[in-house]
Amino acid sequence: RVAMFGAPPASDGARDARSVLCCLCAIPMHPNPSGMCVECVRTQVDITEGISKNCVVTYCSQCERYLQPPKHWIRADLESKELLTFCIKRIKGLQKVKLVDAGFVWTEPHSKRLKTKLTIQKEVLNGAILQQTFVTEFVVEWRMCDACARSAANSDQWNACVQVRQKVEHKRTFLFLEQMILKHGMERDAIGIKSQPDGLDFYYGHRSHGLRFVDFLGSVVATRSRGDKQLVSHDANSNTYNYRFTFFVEIVPVCKEDLVVIPFKLSKEFGSVGPVMLCTRVSNSLQFTDPVTMRQIWIDQEKYWRQPFRAAATAKQMIEYVILDVEVDQSTRQGKLCMADVEVARSSDFGVNDTTFFVKTHLGNILQAGDTALGYDLTNLQIVDPEMEKYSGKHQGVVPDVFLVKKSYAESRRRRRERGVARNWRLQRMQVEEDEETQQRSRGSADRMAQDEELFYQELEEDEETRAQVQIFKDENAINANVTAAAGDDDDDDDAPEVPIEELLDELTLLQRQADDEDDENDLDDLDDSMQE
């Protein structure tokens, strides 16, 4: 289809005073710079000359990526703007014309053909602007990329391994880390992922991929790392060396809701805080809160590893308390926290004795009389830490009998399960290969892993800041089942927090990665070669 701007079609009536004759066919027409009608211009000029109409693109069916020569593989969905941009860049000769419009022409998904419809403009014949539309066909050739070919041939052909470890009794940190990895697409370059008793092993085909993953871990959680290399082969003639690189990443053994004893030297740096504080936030820095004084401190990973310390008590040691009375001090409000004087009693003491405790807590905005809360009973919990002996005399801090950590929704969740109401959301999971040692102990650890997952799900429901860092997706089957289970059931006492439906993503397919931030693998190969030499 050809159109020429500045040359309206001639009328069927008699030639008027403003019309001229075409210099080739003598048909009356309106004047234009070329002196020819549209049909004659089409026979004389083809602005698509020199533009390729047939092209070939390479596609890896394993990882669903397209090859951008020489070695760069990008991800793009069918008929997406990313794929359209990729196809247009593959067409030769478009630099000499002006691209006006572009789009896909529908083809069968299994036809291995892609068609694009392009509209271009070009100045021809004494300044006349000619517009033309044409179709370009792309033949899709299937070929496995180097990473997929290496993985299919032998999964052990890796050049870099990142060993992530945390010396704690649970896996909640790795569940959060898994969601952060999936959100940022850091698992895409991994050849394989293996589960270990105290962590995960990530295998990569390039050393630079492993280094990038180590840097990512340091930006998400507080870590320290070290690297090592092992000589695999050496060519004496060309003086080249082939190494395997291993990176060990250790995550700090302190988790959210843990009770810690702050080292005396660190306490003095922060103005004599502590000695016992509660970990209330974990990222690449650790936040600790003193519920007695409402003081909060942040300890970054460098400062932590200079004076490391472990948790004096973990979430597994918390017990349930019943809130008898609450007196809130609004003058001490700090964001979501507020100081309150609370009278509590152990749930296990009801009907046995009348023992109660008067404590200060930072949960004044959350707790009300009649609620239940989880906390640490320091009257029965023995804290053995050499740093406690240094807090003496004028440096002796106040250690309360009870540390309240969070409000408990166990009863509300139990009633919800009895009604058959399930969570209307789900998370994406990585494909992790179980280690032999882990498989042998899988029977005993399955219940513990299920418990860790439940606690992690509860944390997502209760903590908005943690939930904002994770991609949560709708579970349509659970939503439909909940509507059926909730029909005719009105429970006004159900105060358990839920993930708002506005925060849920529509489909799990939204996690298909785009290649906006992928690095050039050719540069990575050159970087690996230079580092190995």
Side-chain angles (χ1 to χ4, degrees), residues 118-223:
L118 306 180
T119 302
I120 59 175
Q121 290 182 356
K122 187 178 180 180
E123 183 177 335
V124 296
L125 300 177
N126 301 324
I129 299 177
L130 190 64
Q131 178 174 302
Q132 190 169 348
T133 301
F134 66 99
V135 175
T136 301
E137 183 178 11
F138 298 84
V139 178
V140 181
E141 292 185 353
W142 283 18
R143 192 190 81 186
M144 295 180 68
C145 63
D146 295 339
C148 293
R150 187 165 49 244
S151 177
N154 186 359
S155 59
D156 292 332
Q157 290 187 359
W158 53 271
N159 291 327
C161 175
V162 181
Q163 300 174 346
V164 186
R165 300 290 186 268
Q166 187 184 33
K167 299 177 181 178
V168 293
E169 299 179 353
H170 57 80
K171 292 276 189 178
R172 295 201 307 274
T173 302
F174 286 97
L175 291 173
F176 171 73
L177 192 60
E178 177 184 19
Q179 299 304 315
M180 296 297 295
I181 292 173
L182 291 170
K183 180 179 179 180
H184 295 86
M186 297 305 297
E187 85 291 353
R188 290 177 297 180
D189 297 323
I191 296 176
I193 305 175
K194 288 186 178 181
S195 175
Q196 300 294 337
D198 55 351
L200 295 171
D201 288 346
F202 295 82
Y203 297 93
Y204 294 93
H206 302 281
R207 178 177 183 265
S208 50
H209 290 164
L211 286 173
R212 184 172 62 177
F213 184 66
V214 172
D215 293 339
F216 169 77
L217 293 177
S219 65
V220 175
V221 292
T223 62

Side-chain angles (χ1 to χ4, degrees), residues 261-281:
V261 177
I262 302 297
F264 182 70
K265 188 175 180 180
L266 274 179
S267 176
K268 292 178 63 177
E269 291 183 11
F270 289 102
S272 299
V273 296
V276 181
M277 301 188 74
L278 182 67
C279 182
T280 52
R281 185 68 56 193

Side-chain angles (χ1 to χ4, degrees), residues 439-456:
Q439 290 178 354
Q440 294 176 359
R441 302 190 302 177
S442 60
R443 295 182 179 179
S445 60
D447 295 339
R448 186 178 63 181
M449 187 63 187
Q451 183 180 5
D452 292 340
E453 291 180 358
E454 177 63 25
L455 293 176
F456 177 65

Side-chain angles (χ1 to χ4, degrees), residues 190-451:
I191 296 176
I193 305 175
K194 288 186 178 181
S195 175
Q196 300 294 337
D198 55 351
L200 295 171
D201 288 346
F202 295 82
Y203 297 93
Y204 294 93
H206 302 281
R207 178 177 183 265
S208 50
H209 290 164
L211 286 173
R212 184 172 62 177
F213 184 66
V214 172
D215 293 339
F216 169 77
L217 293 177
S219 65
V220 175
V221 292
T223 62
R224 67 176 176 182
S225 61
R226 69 174 186 268
D228 197 2
K229 62 182 180 180
Q230 179 184 5
L231 180 64
V232 177
S233 62
H234 167 51
D235 187 354
N237 295 328
S238 60
N239 197 26
T240 58
Y241 297 83
N242 185 19
Y243 291 101
R244 272 189 171 182
F245 300 90
T246 303
F247 304 97
F248 180 78
V249 180
E250 182 181 1
I251 304 176
V252 295
V254 178
C255 302
K256 185 179 178 182
E257 301 175 358
D258 284 354
L259 202 65
V260 301
V261 177
I262 302 297
F264 182 70
K265 188 175 180 180
L266 274 179
S267 176
K268 292 178 63 177
E269 291 183 11
F270 289 102
S272 299
V273 296
V276 181
M277 301 188 74
L278 182 67
C279 182
T280 52
R281 185 68 56 193
V282 174
S283 59
N284 55 355
S285 300
L286 304 175
Q287 183 192 58
F288 298 94
T289 303
D290 188 350
V292 177
T293 60
M294 288 285 291
R295 294 188 60 181
Q296 292 183 333
I297 62 173
W298 285 91
I299 299 179
D300 57 21
Q301 50 190 356
E302 291 81 7
K303 185 172 295 185
Y304 173 85
W305 291 115
R306 284 198 298 267
Q307 300 182 40
F309 53 90
R310 298 184 63 87
T314 61
K316 185 176 65 174
Q317 299 171 276
M318 291 192 298
I319 64 174
E320 189 177 67
Y321 290 89
V322 177
I323 309 301
L324 303 179
D325 190 18
V326 179
E327 294 182 6
V328 181
D329 186 1
Q330 296 292 344
S331 62
T332 60
R333 181 186 297 272
Q334 295 183 10
K336 296 181 180 180
L337 306 181
C338 185
M339 179 73 73
D341 294 321
V342 182
E343 182 182 3
V344 299
R346 303 187 191 95
S347 298
S348 58
D349 289 345
F350 270 73
V352 179
N353 56 57
D354 298 332
T355 304
T356 60
F357 301 91
F358 292 90
V359 297
K360 290 183 177 294
T361 180
H362 59 293
L363 306 176
N365 288 339
I366 302 174
L367 299 179
Q368 297 179 357
D371 292 341
T372 57
L374 296 176
Y376 294 101
D377 185 5
L378 299 188
T379 59
N380 296 325
L381 183 63
Q382 185 176 6
I383 299 178
V384 180
D385 196 307
E387 293 293 334
M388 287 293 293
E389 301 176 359
K390 301 179 182 179
Y391 290 91
S392 60
K394 63 179 182 179
H395 300 291
Q396 185 174 4
V398 178
V399 180
D401 294 334
V402 175
F403 258 90
L404 295 181
V405 178
K406 63 180 181 179
K407 182 178 178 180
S408 175
Y409 301 95
E411 184 64 23
S412 298
R413 290 191 171 101
R414 183 189 62 80
R415 292 197 301 266
R416 184 180 298 175
R417 287 193 300 268
E418 291 178 352
R419 300 199 310 270
V421 178
R423 291 185 174 91
N424 58 354
W425 52 271
R426 57 177 176 171
L427 301 176
Q428 191 191 24
R429 304 301 300 270
M430 292 191 304
Q431 295 182 358
V432 180
E433 180 183 352
E434 295 291 338
D435 187 70
E436 294 181 359
E437 183 180 354
T438 306
Q439 290 178 354
Q440 294 176 359
R441 302 190 302 177
S442 60
R443 295 182 179 179
S445 60
D447 295 339
R448 186 178 63 181
M449 187 63 187
Q451 183 180 5

